[in-house]
Amino acid sequence: MPSTLALTVVPADERWEARVAGDSAVRVLVVPRRDDQMTARLCGHVVTRSVAAVAIPFGLPIDTTMPPLAIRLVDGDSVTGLRYLVPGAQGYYLFEGVSRDGSRRISVRWPVTSDPTRPIPASASDSLIEAAITPNPYMLDSAMRSMRLGSGATSRDLSALPPADSARAMAMPLVRDFPDQPFLLSNACPQATVLLPVLARIDQKLRVPVQRGDRVRARALLGEGTVQLSFDEAPPAATPPAMREAVPEAAITSPDSGRVTLRVRVQVVTRVQKAEQSIVLSVGRASAMRSGGT
């Protein structure tokens, strides 16, 4: 396993690129974070903890259309992200992540091989695939966790929630089915957009971790009918909304540390809506520490 990386810095765009000395196949790319569709999808994975093979983001070019395999979330002190394996004669271990402070995007491409005399069955489990790969993916996962990046200046506010015309393109399908869905917004990913399946008149609850004074804002988009958003910890509305009244946005400043609960409900207009809807939902969290609060 190669161990020497030659680092090239491009000052004009603050782009860092590392390659193994004498080898162009292993690449590490660190760039300033941009709020594009790929980063939005990546944050969808990180925030929801989903490893479904949908809308996988990538930063470095890959030369195959083979499906990603053995998708796992990898969390380190400086980076958090998603790793997966791309099979084939030119197989790769790929890692896509963001720095913990949210300022940078990290992409790693590392070639992997398997024994050609012992082909991996198409239906093989992730653990069998990982055991057949060299270098061992778990060793590379450890290298990702050990990556160290200094802190960078970054600031985002809740106005960065995507507008209606672009939110659907960057939405991460939410495939985990829990009564209370964890929605782990952090400094690395303070905002995420998901495609949320909701049954008519059945509350879907998302738990968002917060510190005292954090500001959390949610915006929902729906093709037909009405959607109502609210936070359980918010004071009761002076005039509760009527059943068919849309409440597509909600916001709260957290009174305490812990978590807040975003409640999502679709109210059905018979003859117009189907029983199950898919809502494009964007949720953002602004840290009180970063905005100058206590």
Side-chain angles (χ1 to χ4, degrees):
M1 180 174 175
S3 59
T4 303
L5 290 177
L7 182 65
T8 302
V9 180
V10 184
D13 58 3
E14 300 180 34
R15 184 171 183 257
W16 307 348
E17 185 168 348
R19 296 173 185 260
V20 171
D23 186 347
S24 61
V26 176
R27 294 183 61 187
V28 180
L29 183 65
V30 181
V31 297
R33 180 223 181 104
R34 295 179 176 83
D35 290 319
D36 54 15
Q37 288 188 17
M38 287 300 179
T39 302
R41 291 171 184 165
L42 174 59
C43 277
H45 283 282
V46 170
V47 167
T48 64
R49 311 309 288 172
S50 172
V51 293
V54 290
I56 294 289
F58 60 91
L60 292 167
I62 55 175
D63 53 3
T64 179
T65 58
M66 296 292 286
L69 302 174
I71 305 168
R72 298 194 187 275
L73 290 153
V74 176
D75 293 316
D77 291 338
S78 287
V79 300
T80 182
L82 193 75
R83 72 92 148 147
Y84 51 102
L85 304 176
V86 175
Q90 300 295 324
Y92 290 109
Y93 168 103
L94 297 172
F95 173 80
E96 297 293 344
V98 289
S99 60
R100 284 287 187 178
D101 66 0
S103 65
R104 278 163 284 188
R105 180 89 152 76
I106 303 99
S107 298
V108 178
R109 185 184 72 187
W110 206 293
V112 295
T113 60
S114 59
D115 186 347
T117 65
R118 302 176 63 185
I120 303 172
S123 59
S125 64
D126 286 352
S127 58
L128 180 59
I129 295 169
E130 290 163 335
I133 294 296
T134 304
N136 185 278
Y138 287 104
M139 185 183 301
L140 296 175
D141 290 347
S142 295
M144 300 305 107
R145 293 189 187 95
S146 299
M147 191 180 297
R148 294 291 179 264
L149 297 173
S151 298
T154 182
S155 177
R156 288 180 176 80
D157 57 41
L158 296 179
S159 64
L161 288 181
D165 58 355
S166 63
R168 188 172 293 272
M170 63 177 63
M172 166 73 187
L174 189 57
V175 296
R176 297 180 67 177
D177 183 19
F178 290 105
D180 298 334
Q181 169 68 47
F183 208 78
L184 306 178
L185 297 174
S186 63
N187 289 337
C189 288
Q191 186 273 330
T193 301
V194 296
L195 190 65
L196 178 68
V198 179
L199 293 175
R201 298 189 184 181
I202 301 295
D203 287 4
Q204 176 77 41
K205 293 183 287 185
L206 278 68
R207 306 284 192 180
V208 183
V210 291
Q211 296 295 319
R212 181 181 178 87
D214 286 357
R215 180 76 170 169
V216 181
R217 177 182 165 197
R219 177 187 299 153
L221 307 171
L222 183 65
E224 298 175 337
T226 61
V227 59
Q228 294 180 345
L229 301 182
S230 62
F231 286 96
D232 286 357
E233 296 77 10
T239 305
M243 186 183 75
R244 298 187 180 184
E245 180 183 353
V247 186
E249 296 194 31
I252 186 174
T253 299
S254 175
D256 297 295
S257 298
R259 64 184 183 181
V260 294
T261 302
L262 173 64
R263 192 175 294 265
V264 184
R265 169 174 280 213
V266 172
Q267 301 290 9
V268 174
V269 180
T270 310
R271 300 179 184 177
V272 175
Q273 271 184 299
K274 295 181 290 186
E276 182 172 298
Q277 300 295 313
S278 292
I279 300 171
V280 177
L281 180 69
S282 291
V283 186
R285 167 179 167 263
S287 169
M289 296 293 289
R290 291 193 173 208
S291 59
T294 56

